[in-house]
Amino acid sequence: MKILFFGDVVGRSGRQALSRHVQDLKTSLNADVVVANGENSAGGLGINRKAVEEILNCGVDVITTGNHAFHWKEWKDVYENYPMVVFPANYPDMQDRSCYSVKGLTVINLQGRVFMDCIDNPFSSVKNVLRRLDKETIKLVDFHAEATSEKIAMGYFLDGRVDAVVGTHTHVQTADEKMLPNGTLYISDVGMTGPYDNSVLGMDKEAVIGKFLNNRPVRYELAKGRNIINGVFINISDSERSITRISFLEQGED
Ligand SMILES: [Fe+2]
Ligand SMILES: [Fe+2]
């Protein structure tokens, strides 16, 4: 089983970048399944039908989400009509919509609690999710969380119980990909797919600096310029288990 996973897709720029690269990467790496985190895919925050359709049309099979998924009221439309879009299992009433199986892979979505909303315990929630799943299927967890401590702890907690634990949410790719002692593949954060130049996590830097300088609400806009594509390629077979980072910048106009 070869899996391509792309970090948080940010806004239209991120969706367009994805559409320019997924098929080529899928072909060159011979990937069976493609997963992308879409919590920022509509306007930089949240998710809606248009964003989901565009991401699926790129060749993505499963879309994971996180804390920003509920920003627009259109999330409900996505929730009701797109079973391949999953939501963190530890949000109230989301357990039934927290995993999706396709082509022999089950993708599970979870969210952290450190420096984030006070939702249910992700460790006990994932135990409940796993209890309901077939032990034999290959399992990947997107742990959408802020703190590396919580992510690393989750990696060890699930080591040997799932095949891969990949972190999302910080939009910055970490260089700590590895195999844990019992065979689970792990990375603290996959990073993001979207605006890179003059960007703070995908948003125009001026607005974000203004927010930190003045402590007043600001309107964020997507940064302009080149996009970064951040992902991981995961290979799980009888003879090999590996996780490889993908990170490249698109070329600019000039
Ligand atoms: Fe995000
Ligand atoms: Fe997030």
Side-chain angles (χ1 to χ4, degrees):
M1 164 85 58
K2 295 188 171 101
I3 306 159
L4 260 173
F5 186 106
F6 294 95
D8 302 32
V9 178
V10 180
R12 178 185 295 167
S13 314
R15 303 194 308 265
Q16 290 174 344
L18 208 61
S19 74
R20 287 189 283 267
H21 300 286
V22 170
Q23 284 302 343
D24 283 353
L25 284 166
K26 200 173 169 177
T27 305
S28 62
L29 294 167
N30 204 14
D32 302 295
V33 188
V34 184
V35 185
N37 184 295
E39 71 144 3
N40 305 104
S41 58
L45 280 178
I47 194 160
N48 59 19
R49 178 180 286 256
K50 181 172 187 280
V52 168
E53 286 286 346
E54 281 185 33
I55 293 172
L56 294 177
N57 282 338
C58 297
V60 172
D61 301 288
V62 185
I63 300 173
T64 55
T65 62
N67 56 311
H68 290 310
F70 311 104
H71 185 76
W72 305 110
K73 65 178 188 311
E74 286 80 5
W75 76 267
K76 200 75 195 292
D77 171 35
V78 173
Y79 172 90
E80 285 166 358
N81 294 293
Y82 294 88
M84 74 293 289
V85 181
V86 292
F87 298 87
N90 50 325
Y91 266 94
D93 302 325
M94 282 297 163
Q95 196 141 107
D96 290 344
R97 284 301 317 280
S98 64
C99 42
Y100 186 76
S101 300
V102 60
K103 302 175 191 169
L105 174 72
T106 300
V107 177
I108 303 159
N109 202 180
L110 275 183
Q111 187 172 306
R113 296 199 296 185
V114 179
F115 307 129
M116 299 184 83
D117 287 343
C118 187
I119 52 177
D120 296 340
N121 185 320
F123 291 81
S124 52
S125 295
V126 75
K127 258 180 23 182
N128 290 334
V129 171
L130 292 177
R131 220 172 268 143
R132 302 194 330 248
L133 296 176
D134 178 357
K135 282 201 165 40
E136 301 308 314
T137 55
I138 294 175
K139 299 177 192 73
L140 176 145
V141 172
D142 173 353
F143 188 34
H144 193 81
E146 180 77 30
T148 45
S149 61
E150 195 178 18
K151 292 174 168 180
I152 295 168
M154 182 63 80
Y156 281 114
F157 181 66
L158 294 176
D159 184 20
R161 295 200 252 187
V162 305
D163 296 276
V165 176
V166 300
T168 57
H169 175 71
T170 72
H171 293 205
V172 178
Q173 190 176 75
T174 55
D176 63 341
E177 75 279 15
K178 60 185 160 190
M179 186 167 75
L180 298 174
N182 294 315
T184 295
L185 301 167
Y186 175 82
I187 186 168
S188 291
D189 209 291
V190 176
M192 61 166 269
T193 296
Y196 176 78
D197 292 314
N198 300 310
S199 146
V200 178
L201 313 185
M203 297 299 161
D204 183 75
K205 67 177 169 50
E206 295 305 330
V208 186
I209 292 169
K211 165 90 173 156
F212 283 118
L213 185 64
N214 302 313
N215 229 23
R216 293 191 290 264
V218 293
R219 188 180 173 84
Y220 293 130
E221 283 181 11
L222 289 179
K224 298 177 179 69
R226 294 174 302 169
N227 293 298
I228 193 164
I229 289 86
N230 279 336
V232 285
F233 176 62
I234 290 170
N235 190 354
I236 298 163
S237 71
D238 291 342
S239 57
E240 186 186 347
R241 292 179 89 81
S242 63
I243 176 165
T244 310
R245 277 184 286 131
I246 296 167
S247 183
F248 62 92
L249 277 171
E250 283 194 314
Q251 293 306 308
E253 304 273 301
D254 35 302

